Amino acid sequence: MKTKIYDFKNTIKNNSLNEIVGILKSGGLVAIPTETVYGLGANGLNKTAVSNIFKAKNRPMDNPLILHISNIDQIYDLTTDVKNEDIRKIEKLWPGPLTVIFNKSEIIPDEVSAKLDTVAIRMPNNEIISKIIDRLDKPIAAPSANLSTKPSPTNVDAVIEDMDGRIDAIIDGGDCNIGIESTVLDLSEDIPRILRPGFYTKEILEKYWPNIEMDLSLKEKSATPKSPGQKYKHYAPNATIEVLIGDDEDFRKEVLNLLDEYSDKKIGLMVFDDDKETFNNKNIESIVYMGSKDDLSYMAKILFDSFRKMDDNNIEHIIVRGVEEEDFGLSIMNRLKKASSQNIRRV
Ligand code: TXA
Ligand code: MG
């Protein structure tokens, strides 16, 4: 299949927009930017189109998809038993990086919800996808636009790497601002529960839902996650990953030891700007500086792309400086745990 690339970095072209909506109407697949990561979109009410998303990504069929909407009123056709008081709260957080799980209505195809009784809905904060949803006049089902198990794509090059030749079109909307996926919040049961941590942290969401809880699996290794996607291998580059958490001095000393130990391997290092002095003139194949450890937003933004760049440089093993599992650090560590297959150590 020839994949057409549309450049919407500077302007959203009207003719191209019509073509893209045409592709989606006829059941095609289009990779579309959002503020979190790129999504692999299809008409969310077309069963065949939705099934093709799973084929293009090699995604297990039991992992349900998020339906993206552009107007909060679209919730009512897609769900049942939504509480007005929840809607008023969600209105303050949308458009944005929050996915909400509701009881589903009968129009949701089994392919979207993986036969669960619930459906995931999100209103993304991105003009390109919002305009497409408006014109299509249907929700867009979209998982992240990576091959299953790979890091989510945060720029068009990453999407092209995984999806060129597998889908009808890719829209270049520039780099995603946030860089990790939305927070998944389950409101289908009595107690509001975070199933996947993201940009909206427990601390932020607690202001809206004071009795909010974290899914047990986010705290205990042994618990089964309620979000099917959380049980799969995820976000992993070809290189192996080792995550080290510790104070500046301990961390730096341990890395210097490891660099000796791994002297026969091509090593990649991901550290904070403060660590520059220690590692700058060491003989390290590839170093990424992740900004300040007092503001993790840059780390989140470049995390997945850095993994991909390390693969492009044939790095065999990546050492990443981990962070404390609190606030936004919890969301970042959730991605690092999966990417490293839990290879995390305190030094
Ligand atoms: O930021 C995002 O959420 C991106 C952009 C494209 O919107 N999308 C994304 O989709 O990350 P995906 O498919 O990679 O992750 C969706 C997560 C999976 O862990 C899935 O299991 C969970 O949401 N999910 C979807 N429907 C669910 C449901 N009904 N109940 C529980 N979890 C659900
Ligand atoms: Mg994904």
Side-chain angles (χ1 to χ4, degrees), residues 50 94 101 151 156 170 263 273 287 305 323 346:
V50 173
W94 278 357
I101 311 288
V156 78
I170 296 174
S263 57
D273 291 357
I287 306 190
D305 190 51
V323 296
R346 208 165 259 284

Side-chain angles (χ1 to χ4, degrees), residues 140-160:
I140 290 186
S144 48
N146 51 285
L147 288 172
S148 208
T149 80
K150 291 284 153 206
S152 301
T154 56
N155 55 51
V156 78
D157 292 337
V159 180
I160 292 173

Side-chain angles (χ1 to χ4, degrees), residues 67-301:
L67 288 182
H68 296 73
I69 60 174
S70 55
N71 180 321
I72 199 158
D73 293 336
Q74 291 157 340
I75 281 191
Y76 296 104
D77 280 346
L78 306 173
T79 61
T80 57
D81 329 310
V82 180
K83 294 194 204 93
N84 280 333
E85 110 195 52
D86 282 336
I87 291 290
R88 281 196 299 275
K89 295 171 185 173
I90 294 166
E91 260 170 352
K92 301 209 171 86
L93 299 160
W94 278 357
L98 177 72
T99 295
V100 185
I101 311 288
F102 297 102
N103 288 313
K104 70 174 185 186
S105 75
E106 72 282 3
I107 69 166
I108 306 293
D110 279 343
E111 288 77 2
V112 168
S113 57
K115 300 192 176 154
L116 300 174
D117 296 330
T118 53
V119 62
I121 301 185
R122 167 163 120 82
M123 185 156 105
N125 187 14
N126 175 290
E127 205 190 344
I128 299 173
I129 189 163
S130 300
K131 282 207 160 136
I132 296 173
I133 300 166
D134 281 346
R135 292 213 189 175
L136 182 64
D137 202 22
K138 295 276 183 320
I140 290 186
S144 48
N146 51 285
L147 288 172
S148 208
T149 80
K150 291 284 153 206
S152 301
T154 56
N155 55 51
V156 78
D157 292 337
V159 180
I160 292 173
E161 191 169 87
D162 281 13
M163 289 298 154
D164 193 26
R166 302 177 75 91
I167 60 177
D168 298 281
I170 296 174
I171 303 172
D172 182 358
D175 292 351
C176 299
N177 283 330
I178 294 179
I180 63 170
E181 307 81 353
S182 60
T183 305
V184 177
L185 170 65
D186 185 0
L187 294 183
S188 70
E189 294 189 37
D190 291 340
I191 298 189
R193 193 167 280 122
I194 295 175
L195 305 186
R196 176 175 73 183
F199 181 80
Y200 284 130
T201 60
K202 181 165 185 257
E203 289 71 17
I204 296 174
L205 295 179
E206 236 157 19
K207 295 191 184 119
Y208 299 85
W209 292 274
N211 59 338
I212 199 164
E213 287 182 5
M214 289 291 234
D215 192 50
L216 258 190
S217 70
L218 297 170
K219 297 187 275 189
E220 285 167 29
K221 263 193 205 168
S222 55
T224 311
K226 200 187 160 200
S227 210
Q230 291 280 315
K231 70 176 183 265
Y232 291 110
K233 183 173 175 181
H234 237 114
Y235 318 124
N238 298 326
T240 49
I241 299 183
E242 172 171 8
V243 183
L244 303 178
I245 308 171
D247 291 341
D248 289 347
E249 219 173 297
D250 300 330
F251 170 79
R252 291 168 192 162
K253 220 167 96 194
E254 178 65 9
V255 173
L256 292 173
N257 286 338
L258 288 176
L259 289 173
D260 273 346
E261 192 179 315
Y262 300 149
S263 57
D264 57 334
K265 277 194 180 170
K266 280 186 102 174
I267 298 293
L269 184 62
M270 294 170 59
V271 291
F272 291 111
D273 291 357
D274 282 351
D275 300 313
K276 228 175 229 172
E277 244 178 83
T278 310
F279 299 113
N280 226 356
N281 44 22
K282 295 282 173 307
N283 186 17
I284 302 168
E285 195 75 30
S286 179
I287 306 190
V288 170
Y289 294 106
M290 308 186 291
S292 157
K293 58 174 166 315
D294 299 322
D295 175 7
L296 300 178
S297 58
Y298 186 67
M299 178 178 187
K301 187 170 167 152

Side-chain angles (χ1 to χ4, degrees), residues 31-51:
I32 311 174
T34 81
E35 79 279 36
T36 56
V37 302
Y38 274 73
L40 176 52
N43 173 353
L45 301 183
N46 176 332
K47 287 168 187 278
T48 318
V50 173
S51 309

